[in-house]
Amino acid sequence: MHPTVRSPDARYVYITGPAAAGAPEGNMEIVSPASLLKVDALTLEPVRQLIVGGRLHHGQVFRDRYLLMDTFARDPDGLDVFLLDPQTDEILGGIQCEDLGGSCYTAFTDDEYIYLLMQPAGYGPQAFSGIIGGEQFVQGSVTVLRPYWVARIDPDNWEVVREYPHPGYRANWIVLDSAGEFMYVPSGGTSNISKINLETGEIAWVSGTGTGPYGANLNPDETEIWVADKGEVTGFRGRTVTVINTENPRAKETLFGAYTVDHLLLSPNGREMWATSNGEGTIHVFDVATKETLDVIEMPGYGNPHGLVWVHYDEDGNGRVIRDQGGFHGGIDPYRGVMLDY
């Protein structure tokens, strides 16, 4: 299971299911479309199989009501990025990335706009053009690639309202600050991270990272950006976390992590940074203040963690998602001093 996606009320998990009826047998490669399974989060019993025209990559809560999803691959008439209503399991709208002038990777949101990582097409199959181009650059078979960029999309009409070119190849993540002033974009193919002014599009600074950065997150006072050095595009052998000052492109510290650490999220208590490891089947928990490793959580059966979701249950047993890939939800936000103590 690649992603971790929960409905806003935490009742359901959405995971990749078998190919839809009529699809070629055995066609379960990552570049082939698949169905979406809605599963009861407590009993783990499947509730419904959804035909969404694509294979789920990442998903996150949007506006505390919907789910924003992006895909690895899709049917010709499917969508690369779409909004799903978990109450009705209907797709509310979405886009095909070739209509935006390239291929695309992962979507992020500030609950107002959708920010989509865009990649040049033509270096390989549509879904993997960006990573193949990045690998060609890293391997030296090409010396320059066409630009990669971020598209800001209005989800009410699915129109692009702004584009942000950035100085890096094969970006993997977007971090938006709480004031809506800057975004941080780590790029695997060039092992760097860019700080970009959201109003002007100006590049505030570019900093080197560890090899092939993937996920990233800000500390609670937003003076540091933590970057997971996964090794994405550069061989998938990264095992560090780089901590960088947000006011200037100076790396403050390099932390030892785990092989292919990728998703990196600040916890709802604001004191911990959690990092998932594809290569070791673990989650590393760091103390934000001291940078010490607090715990290493092993997945059952060396499972491959890819994504994190925190759920809070009240005294009546009612759940709600308060943290996932897309940010904090349900009124919890350590960046504004609202933390869940535990």
PDB file of all heavy atoms in Angstrom, residues 123-139:
ATOM      1  N   TYR A 123      10.354  12.721 -21.519  1.00  0.00           N
ATOM      2  CA  TYR A 123      11.549  11.962 -21.137  1.00  0.00           C
ATOM      3  C   TYR A 123      11.235  10.484 -20.877  1.00  0.00           C
ATOM      4  O   TYR A 123      12.147   9.684 -20.672  1.00  0.00           O
ATOM      5  CB  TYR A 123      12.183  12.574 -19.887  1.00  0.00           C
ATOM      6  CG  TYR A 123      12.710  13.976 -20.116  1.00  0.00           C
ATOM      7  CD1 TYR A 123      12.056  15.076 -19.568  1.00  0.00           C
ATOM      8  CD2 TYR A 123      13.845  14.204 -20.880  1.00  0.00           C
ATOM      9  CE1 TYR A 123      12.527  16.370 -19.778  1.00  0.00           C
ATOM     10  CE2 TYR A 123      14.321  15.490 -21.104  1.00  0.00           C
ATOM     11  CZ  TYR A 123      13.656  16.565 -20.544  1.00  0.00           C
ATOM     12  OH  TYR A 123      14.121  17.841 -20.766  1.00  0.00           O
ATOM     13  N   GLY A 124       9.963  10.144 -20.884  1.00  0.00           N
ATOM     14  CA  GLY A 124       9.534   8.779 -20.640  1.00  0.00           C
ATOM     15  C   GLY A 124       8.027   8.739 -20.593  1.00  0.00           C
ATOM     16  O   GLY A 124       7.358   9.714 -20.991  1.00  0.00           O
ATOM     17  N   PRO A 125       7.428   7.634 -20.118  1.00  0.00           N
ATOM     18  CA  PRO A 125       5.974   7.578 -19.982  1.00  0.00           C
ATOM     19  C   PRO A 125       5.455   8.760 -19.174  1.00  0.00           C
ATOM     20  O   PRO A 125       6.138   9.263 -18.283  1.00  0.00           O
ATOM     21  CB  PRO A 125       5.741   6.255 -19.241  1.00  0.00           C
ATOM     22  CG  PRO A 125       6.955   5.440 -19.539  1.00  0.00           C
ATOM     23  CD  PRO A 125       8.089   6.409 -19.648  1.00  0.00           C
ATOM     24  N   GLN A 126       4.243   9.189 -19.475  1.00  0.00           N
ATOM     25  CA  GLN A 126       3.695  10.406 -18.885  1.00  0.00           C
ATOM     26  C   GLN A 126       3.867  10.468 -17.373  1.00  0.00           C
ATOM     27  O   GLN A 126       4.327  11.464 -16.818  1.00  0.00           O
ATOM     28  CB  GLN A 126       2.210  10.524 -19.244  1.00  0.00           C
ATOM     29  CG  GLN A 126       1.495  11.730 -18.674  1.00  0.00           C
ATOM     30  CD  GLN A 126       1.833  13.037 -19.375  1.00  0.00           C
ATOM     31  OE1 GLN A 126       2.633  13.058 -20.304  1.00  0.00           O
ATOM     32  NE2 GLN A 126       1.235  14.127 -18.928  1.00  0.00           N
ATOM     33  N   ALA A 127       3.545   9.378 -16.678  1.00  0.00           N
ATOM     34  CA  ALA A 127       3.590   9.389 -15.222  1.00  0.00           C
ATOM     35  C   ALA A 127       5.014   9.452 -14.683  1.00  0.00           C
ATOM     36  O   ALA A 127       5.233   9.864 -13.549  1.00  0.00           O
ATOM     37  CB  ALA A 127       2.888   8.151 -14.667  1.00  0.00           C
ATOM     38  N   PHE A 128       6.004   9.051 -15.486  1.00  0.00           N
ATOM     39  CA  PHE A 128       7.371   8.956 -14.994  1.00  0.00           C
ATOM     40  C   PHE A 128       8.355   9.813 -15.786  1.00  0.00           C
ATOM     41  O   PHE A 128       9.564   9.656 -15.636  1.00  0.00           O
ATOM     42  CB  PHE A 128       7.819   7.496 -14.981  1.00  0.00           C
ATOM     43  CG  PHE A 128       7.169   6.705 -13.894  1.00  0.00           C
ATOM     44  CD1 PHE A 128       5.990   6.038 -14.127  1.00  0.00           C
ATOM     45  CD2 PHE A 128       7.716   6.659 -12.625  1.00  0.00           C
ATOM     46  CE1 PHE A 128       5.367   5.326 -13.119  1.00  0.00           C
ATOM     47  CE2 PHE A 128       7.108   5.957 -11.606  1.00  0.00           C
ATOM     48  CZ  PHE A 128       5.925   5.286 -11.847  1.00  0.00           C
ATOM     49  N   SER A 129       7.836  10.718 -16.592  1.00  0.00           N
ATOM     50  CA  SER A 129       8.726  11.582 -17.364  1.00  0.00           C
ATOM     51  C   SER A 129       9.655  12.392 -16.475  1.00  0.00           C
ATOM     52  O   SER A 129      10.852  12.525 -16.745  1.00  0.00           O
ATOM     53  CB  SER A 129       7.903  12.535 -18.243  1.00  0.00           C
ATOM     54  OG  SER A 129       8.734  13.437 -18.933  1.00  0.00           O
ATOM     55  N   GLY A 130       9.122  12.918 -15.373  1.00  0.00           N
ATOM     56  CA  GLY A 130       9.911  13.779 -14.493  1.00  0.00           C
ATOM     57  C   GLY A 130      11.043  13.055 -13.817  1.00  0.00           C
ATOM     58  O   GLY A 130      12.171  13.556 -13.756  1.00  0.00           O
ATOM     59  N   ILE A 131      10.778  11.844 -13.304  1.00  0.00           N
ATOM     60  CA  ILE A 131      11.836  11.112 -12.606  1.00  0.00           C
ATOM     61  C   ILE A 131      12.859  10.564 -13.586  1.00  0.00           C
ATOM     62  O   ILE A 131      14.067  10.539 -13.310  1.00  0.00           O
ATOM     63  CB  ILE A 131      11.253   9.988 -11.728  1.00  0.00           C
ATOM     64  CG1 ILE A 131      12.349   9.432 -10.798  1.00  0.00           C
ATOM     65  CG2 ILE A 131      10.621   8.891 -12.551  1.00  0.00           C
ATOM     66  CD1 ILE A 131      11.827   8.501  -9.725  1.00  0.00           C
ATOM     67  N   ILE A 132      12.411  10.141 -14.779  1.00  0.00           N
ATOM     68  CA  ILE A 132      13.366   9.645 -15.779  1.00  0.00           C
ATOM     69  C   ILE A 132      14.280  10.770 -16.243  1.00  0.00           C
ATOM     70  O   ILE A 132      15.494  10.587 -16.374  1.00  0.00           O
ATOM     71  CB  ILE A 132      12.610   9.010 -16.964  1.00  0.00           C
ATOM     72  CG1 ILE A 132      11.944   7.701 -16.512  1.00  0.00           C
ATOM     73  CG2 ILE A 132      13.550   8.753 -18.140  1.00  0.00           C
ATOM     74  CD1 ILE A 132      11.039   7.085 -17.548  1.00  0.00           C
ATOM     75  N   GLY A 133      13.712  11.952 -16.458  1.00  0.00           N
ATOM     76  CA  GLY A 133      14.548  13.097 -16.824  1.00  0.00           C
ATOM     77  C   GLY A 133      15.558  13.419 -15.742  1.00  0.00           C
ATOM     78  O   GLY A 133      16.732  13.676 -16.015  1.00  0.00           O
ATOM     79  N   GLY A 134      15.108  13.384 -14.470  1.00  0.00           N
ATOM     80  CA  GLY A 134      16.016  13.636 -13.360  1.00  0.00           C
ATOM     81  C   GLY A 134      17.132  12.619 -13.280  1.00  0.00           C
ATOM     82  O   GLY A 134      18.293  12.958 -13.031  1.00  0.00           O
ATOM     83  N   GLU A 135      16.798  11.340 -13.512  1.00  0.00           N
ATOM     84  CA  GLU A 135      17.819  10.295 -13.481  1.00  0.00           C
ATOM     85  C   GLU A 135      18.829  10.478 -14.608  1.00  0.00           C
ATOM     86  O   GLU A 135      20.031  10.252 -14.427  1.00  0.00           O
ATOM     87  CB  GLU A 135      17.150   8.924 -13.573  1.00  0.00           C
ATOM     88  CG  GLU A 135      16.408   8.532 -12.304  1.00  0.00           C
ATOM     89  CD  GLU A 135      15.616   7.248 -12.464  1.00  0.00           C
ATOM     90  OE1 GLU A 135      15.353   6.864 -13.635  1.00  0.00           O
ATOM     91  OE2 GLU A 135      15.256   6.638 -11.439  1.00  0.00           O
ATOM     92  N   GLN A 136      18.358  10.877 -15.783  1.00  0.00           N
ATOM     93  CA  GLN A 136      19.274  11.128 -16.897  1.00  0.00           C
ATOM     94  C   GLN A 136      20.258  12.246 -16.561  1.00  0.00           C
ATOM     95  O   GLN A 136      21.447  12.171 -16.901  1.00  0.00           O
ATOM     96  CB  GLN A 136      18.480  11.482 -18.164  1.00  0.00           C
ATOM     97  CG  GLN A 136      17.701  10.317 -18.738  1.00  0.00           C
ATOM     98  CD  GLN A 136      16.815  10.722 -19.892  1.00  0.00           C
ATOM     99  OE1 GLN A 136      16.575  11.912 -20.131  1.00  0.00           O
ATOM    100  NE2 GLN A 136      16.296   9.743 -20.626  1.00  0.00           N
ATOM    101  N   PHE A 137      19.761  13.260 -15.855  1.00  0.00           N
ATOM    102  CA  PHE A 137      20.640  14.356 -15.452  1.00  0.00           C
ATOM    103  C   PHE A 137      21.669  13.880 -14.433  1.00  0.00           C
ATOM    104  O   PHE A 137      22.870  14.168 -14.550  1.00  0.00           O
ATOM    105  CB  PHE A 137      19.799  15.500 -14.873  1.00  0.00           C
ATOM    106  CG  PHE A 137      20.622  16.641 -14.343  1.00  0.00           C
ATOM    107  CD1 PHE A 137      21.185  17.575 -15.195  1.00  0.00           C
ATOM    108  CD2 PHE A 137      20.829  16.777 -12.975  1.00  0.00           C
ATOM    109  CE1 PHE A 137      21.946  18.630 -14.700  1.00  0.00           C
ATOM    110  CE2 PHE A 137      21.590  17.820 -12.469  1.00  0.00           C
ATOM    111  CZ  PHE A 137      22.144  18.756 -13.342  1.00  0.00           C
ATOM    112  N   VAL A 138      21.215  13.134 -13.432  1.00  0.00           N
ATOM    113  CA  VAL A 138      22.120  12.640 -12.394  1.00  0.00           C
ATOM    114  C   VAL A 138      23.176  11.713 -12.987  1.00  0.00           C
ATOM    115  O   VAL A 138      24.353  11.739 -12.595  1.00  0.00           O
ATOM    116  CB  VAL A 138      21.318  11.924 -11.288  1.00  0.00           C
ATOM    117  CG1 VAL A 138      22.248  11.182 -10.339  1.00  0.00           C
ATOM    118  CG2 VAL A 138      20.473  12.923 -10.515  1.00  0.00           C
ATOM    119  N   GLN A 139      22.779  10.895 -13.949  1.00  0.00           N
ATOM    120  CA  GLN A 139      23.699   9.940 -14.559  1.00  0.00           C
ATOM    121  C   GLN A 139      24.617  10.572 -15.599  1.00  0.00           C
ATOM    122  O   GLN A 139      25.543   9.918 -16.083  1.00  0.00           O
ATOM    123  CB  GLN A 139      22.896   8.804 -15.198  1.00  0.00           C
ATOM    124  CG  GLN A 139      22.144   7.950 -14.176  1.00  0.00           C
ATOM    125  CD  GLN A 139      21.050   7.123 -14.789  1.00  0.00           C
ATOM    126  OE1 GLN A 139      20.841   7.122 -16.003  1.00  0.00           O
ATOM    127  NE2 GLN A 139      20.301   6.401 -13.947  1.00  0.00           N
TER     128      GLN A 139
END
